Amino acid sequence: MGVRPCYLEPAGSRVALRPLGRADEAEFIAVARASAGLHHPWMSLPTAPEEFGEFVARFDGPANVGLVVCDRTDDAIVGGININNIVHGRFQSAALGYWVSAPAAGRGYMSEGIKLVMGYAFGPLRLHRLEANIQPGNHASIQLVKRSGFRYEGYSPAYLFIDGAWRGHERWAITREMLEPAADRLAAGWLPVAACSG
């Protein structure tokens, strides 16, 4: 399979995280096309090279981190998690965006991936709060954040423009205190993304 990708450490038992890069274009687009039916109408991913280039460029600065969730047995991309709109200072918060590939749906990969992302966010990124905004009908996504310990905080009408209309979203969030003492264990031992993006 060539050179093994650079994963962020620590990894999970079945999945590992690594930064999304331009070299992922072909695999990412293939997975996105094969999973479009699963994602619609909740979200859409880039399914053409020019769209992928614009998507990946979002993660060039410090405000957004794009990660792929990979199966440790074969390095295949099984999902993705973005840490968006990172704000430090008094807020120390970010919003999560995430998706799973159709073949990996319902197999627990994203539950493990979200736990890893929480460790990364509350560790090296030094965040205090993560938020996930989810359309009310997206029951699988709501169950994922519930299992991960997020709490329901309210409803935001006309929150995001998706699939041709402004859609209302439920607001779910987790803070570092909600995980203690497990937060220290989750956050321990992480390498920064920069160590894995050369």
Side-chain angles (χ1 to χ4, degrees), residues 34-185:
S35 304
L38 175 68
H39 299 152
H40 185 268
W42 317 119
M43 64 170 302
S44 61
L45 291 170
T47 55
E50 59 277 6
E51 294 171 354
F52 180 79
E54 291 171 10
F55 182 73
V56 149
R58 290 177 38 200
F59 307 114
D60 286 342
N64 302 292
V65 174
L67 302 167
V68 286
V69 180
C70 297
D71 186 330
R72 292 186 64 190
T73 61
D74 60 5
D75 300 326
I77 295 174
V78 295
I81 305 175
N82 307 328
I83 308 172
N84 300 311
N85 307 318
I86 298 168
V87 178
H88 288 287
R90 292 183 184 271
F91 198 34
Q92 293 181 309
S93 182
L96 291 184
Y98 49 85
W99 58 272
V100 66
S101 70
R107 298 177 60 191
Y109 290 124
M110 292 307 290
S111 291
E112 190 172 326
I114 292 284
K115 289 251 189 295
L116 291 171
V117 162
M118 287 192 298
Y120 189 72
F122 296 137
L125 291 184
R126 300 182 318 280
L127 295 177
H128 171 254
R129 169 187 165 89
L130 289 174
E131 188 172 297
N133 295 285
I134 305 165
Q135 292 176 66
N138 191 345
H139 303 296
S141 188
I142 290 170
Q143 289 306 310
L144 173 63
V145 295
K146 276 178 151 178
R147 280 193 310 272
S148 301
F150 286 60
R151 70 177 166 223
Y152 176 75
E153 292 190 337
Y155 178 77
S156 302
Y159 184 71
L160 290 174
F161 192 78
I162 296 174
D163 196 34
W166 288 98
R167 311 282 179 183
H169 284 63
E170 292 185 7
R171 202 169 50 259
W172 292 80
I174 192 165
T175 62
R176 197 176 200 291
E177 292 88 351
M178 291 168 64
L179 288 174
E180 289 177 346
D184 290 332
R185 181 176 39 77

